[in-house]
Structures are given as structure tokens and as C-alpha cells.
Amino acid sequence: MRDADECPSGAFERIGRDITLDELEREVMKDELFFRTSGGGVTLSGGEVLMQAAFATRFLQRLRRFGISCAIETAGDAPASRLLPLAKACDEVLFDLKIMEPRQAHEVVKMNLPRVLDNLRLLVNEGITVIPRLPLIPGYTLNVENMQRALAVLLSSGINQVHLLPFHQYGEAKYRLLGQPWAMKDVPVPSPQEVAEMQALAERAGFLVTVGG
């Protein structure tokens, strides 16, 4: 994986580096003792891990042979043929649900929401441990209607836990490093009261709620 930062001259400065499967395995296994003593493991996130699904699947399969706990974080918007093998190499899948109105999801984040929901149900039906996560973003997902739609999907899938992720501005530094505009700079951080209201809504619906995570 690699990223690039455009320099003022118009050239590109290399930020990341390409890495082979063997190199990545050796790098990660330097922390094997920590994984075993802490009970922790490896989580692949992104960006979107499904953009490198084949590589990620092979990598996690290797780690599982060493008994290392593995997880991915994903928005689930990819063909099931890419998602399912990767999910089966995991101990759990952190599955992000965002805008729950199909047209708006496509317009704002280019997301194929029906495919996302089909993939969520597929993972559950395959017996994969799915931990749903709902980002709380003012103007997009931080509202009662969106929350109720998400909770309804989860209930129909037999899931009774959810992680709520209040929006923050930590991503701005990464965009600045890459020379890209930070489109969310004017989006406010949710207030504690707003987060508490969404938590209470989920708890009244019978969910075990974690804020953050």
C-alpha cells in the first residue's frame, strides 16, 4: 500500500511503500509476544480494506495459522466474492453502517446501500461475528430517522449490539499531509447531549451500546 503527497512543483512525493506478503508478516509478527500476553490482535482498516481484499485475505490467513486474533473494519460495499473470503479469515468484522437512505447514500458517499445490507446479512448467515458501527456525523447520520433505519436492519439480522462513533476532526491532518482538501472542516463535533440521545434511542430498542470503539 502507498500514498502520495503532491509537492508544490507538481511532482509527487512518496509517503508509503510497497510491501510483500512475507515482509508484512515478518513486521507484524515482531509483536507476537504482545498479542499473546495482551489478548490483542491485528485489525485491518483503511481507507477500505476491500480494495485490497485478495492480499488482505492471504495475510490474515497466515496470521490465523499462528493463532493471532484478526479483524477487519469495512463499509461492506464490494462484491460478496471479495468480502466473504476475507471475513472468514477474521475473528470478527467491524461493519460500518452510514447513511441509511439509498439515494442519499449513493449521492453523498457513492455507496450501493442495497449491496451493503445484503453483505451484512450474508456475513450473519455465515456465522461470522459482526460488530456494527454507526458513525454519528451531524448533517448526515446524526438524526433519529437514520438511527432508526439502522437499528431496524440490525434487529432484522439478529444483531443486538452496536458501537456509536461520534464524528471527530482527526482526519484533517491526513488530508493536509496528502495535499487534499478536508471537506468536513465545517462539520461540528456532536455534543455529549446529542450522543446521549442516540445512545438512549438504541438502548430503548434493546441494544447493548458502546460509544466509541
Side-chain angles (χ1 to χ4, degrees):
M1 183 190 303
R2 64 186 180 189
D3 295 319
D5 183 18
E6 187 172 2
C7 300
S9 65
F12 281 86
E13 176 189 359
R14 187 166 180 166
I15 301 297
R17 64 185 177 96
D18 294 323
I19 192 168
T20 68
L21 200 57
D22 289 339
E23 290 170 337
L24 183 58
E25 177 186 320
R26 287 194 294 270
E27 186 68 26
V28 170
M29 291 306 291
K30 291 177 182 178
D31 290 325
E32 180 180 8
L33 180 61
F34 171 76
F35 298 146
R36 299 197 186 282
T37 57
S38 69
V42 172
T43 299
L44 302 183
S45 58
E48 173 53 66
V49 67
L50 294 178
M51 294 182 68
Q52 301 184 59
F55 182 93
T57 300
R58 293 194 299 272
F59 175 57
L60 294 189
Q61 288 170 342
R62 289 190 179 199
L63 295 187
R64 290 289 291 274
R65 288 200 291 268
F66 290 108
I68 304 299
S69 176
C70 298
I72 60 170
E73 177 188 351
T74 179
D77 190 10
S81 59
R82 274 199 277 165
L83 172 62
L84 189 57
L86 178 54
K88 286 184 174 181
C90 296
D91 295 282
E92 61 186 27
V93 174
L94 309 176
F95 200 107
D96 293 350
L97 292 176
K98 299 175 182 177
I99 298 172
M100 299 301 296
E101 197 288 311
R103 179 179 297 179
Q104 186 184 15
H106 183 264
E107 291 176 351
V108 176
V109 291
K110 309 303 181 187
M111 177 171 285
N112 182 341
L113 184 61
R115 178 166 69 176
V116 169
L117 300 185
D118 285 345
N119 281 340
L120 173 68
R121 298 182 184 104
L122 173 64
L123 297 188
V124 172
N125 291 339
E126 290 286 334
I128 294 165
T129 300
V130 176
I131 300 178
R133 299 163 18 126
L134 305 180
L136 303 179
I137 306 173
Y140 297 95
T141 63
L142 183 57
N143 60 75
V144 170
E145 181 179 3
N146 198 76
M147 175 66 72
Q148 288 177 333
R149 288 187 180 203
L151 297 179
V153 167
L154 297 177
L155 285 174
S156 69
S157 301
I159 298 174
N160 62 0
Q161 65 168 320
V162 64
H163 289 201
L164 303 182
L165 308 180
F167 172 72
H168 55 69
Q169 289 286 349
Y170 301 156
E172 188 273 337
K174 179 186 292 186
Y175 277 74
R176 186 172 63 250
L177 176 66
L178 297 174
Q180 299 293 325
W182 174 237
M184 307 293 283
K185 65 178 182 178
D186 295 324
V187 177
V189 173
S191 69
Q193 180 180 352
E194 289 174 317
V195 174
E197 289 173 354
M198 295 298 104
Q199 180 177 354
L201 179 61
E203 289 175 341
R204 287 196 299 270
F207 284 83
L208 176 64
V209 180
T210 300
V211 177

